[in-house]
């Protein structure tokens, strides 16, 4: 993997997350964690892109990693994990295939639009699926830990 070429994209993905956080007036004390989350999100995607061939699995793994990161930051900052997840996952939003789908519709190229639309939906479902899996695991672990404390 050519990390020299990927580093600017990783940094810009991180700044995109921070920009989202600023636009939506997220507390400034969370912005460094959001910056790191955007970096991690794009890094997870780049690594999964090189390891996996399925676009759905790339999105699933990236969404899972970002959600776990969001849970960790939520505990560290004593804040809701959605603050960290939504802003950190911004680099994962499938903008290019969505644009290509809309452009193909405008050009009345419906077969290409359908293929790009399916790609966009699968990627979004992958992100949501990864997030759901991570949050289910984290919630189960919290319940197990709480039950262990109540037992003692």
């Amino acid at each position: 993997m050519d990390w020299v070429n990927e580093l600017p994209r990783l940094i810009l993905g991180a700044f995109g997350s921070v920009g989202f956080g600023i636009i939506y007036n997220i507390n400034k004390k969370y912005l460094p964690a959001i910056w790191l989350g955007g970096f991690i999100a794009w890094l997870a995607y780049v690594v999964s892109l090189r390891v996996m061939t399925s676009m759905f699995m790339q999105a699933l793994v990236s969404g899972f990693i970002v959600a776990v990161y969001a849970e960790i930051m939520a505990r560290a900052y004593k804040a809701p994990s959605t603050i960290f997840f939504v802003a950190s996952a911004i680099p994962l939003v499938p903008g290019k295939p969505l644009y290509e789908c809309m452009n193909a519709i405008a050009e009345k190229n419906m077969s290409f639009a359908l293929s790009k639309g399916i790609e966009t939906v699968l990627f979004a479902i992958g992100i949501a699926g990864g997030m759901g899996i991570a949050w289910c695991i984290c919630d189960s672990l919290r319940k197990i830990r709480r039950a262990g404390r109540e037992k003692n």
Side-chain angles (χ1 to χ4, degrees):
M1 181 180 310
D2 189 11
W3 289 105
V4 174
N5 291 332
E6 288 299 333
L7 191 59
R9 293 182 194 144
L10 291 165
I11 292 169
L12 289 173
F15 280 118
S17 292
V18 170
F20 181 87
I22 291 169
I23 288 171
Y24 286 95
N25 203 24
I26 293 175
N27 191 324
K28 288 181 179 34
K29 72 179 179 180
Y30 302 143
L31 293 180
I34 289 170
W35 187 92
L36 183 58
F39 188 92
I40 289 170
W42 195 249
L43 180 64
Y45 175 70
V46 167
V47 170
S48 67
L49 189 65
R50 306 268 190 304
V51 175
M52 300 171 197
T53 57
S54 167
M55 182 187 51
F56 175 77
M57 289 303 295
Q58 295 161 1
L60 186 84
V61 167
S62 300
F64 177 83
I65 289 171
V66 173
V68 169
Y69 173 78
E71 284 289 324
I72 292 167
M73 290 298 104
R75 300 303 154 255
Y77 283 92
K78 294 180 176 42
S81 62
T82 52
I83 293 170
F84 301 101
F85 179 79
V86 172
S88 296
I90 287 297
L92 299 178
V93 173
K96 183 181 177 199
L98 181 59
Y99 168 79
E100 290 172 338
C101 175
M102 294 295 116
N103 192 45
I105 289 171
E107 294 175 350
K108 298 189 182 355
N109 183 354
M110 294 306 162
S111 63
F112 188 70
L114 181 62
S115 103
K116 288 300 172 179
I118 290 170
E119 184 178 323
T120 302
V121 168
L122 280 175
F123 202 87
I125 290 170
I127 294 169
M131 173 189 72
I133 292 167
W135 283 348
C136 285
I137 291 170
C138 290
D139 187 53
S140 297
L141 290 174
R142 273 193 301 275
K143 287 178 180 174
I144 290 169
R145 199 173 306 126
R146 191 176 315 130
R149 274 190 248 132
E150 289 173 2
K151 203 181 226 184
N152 295 331

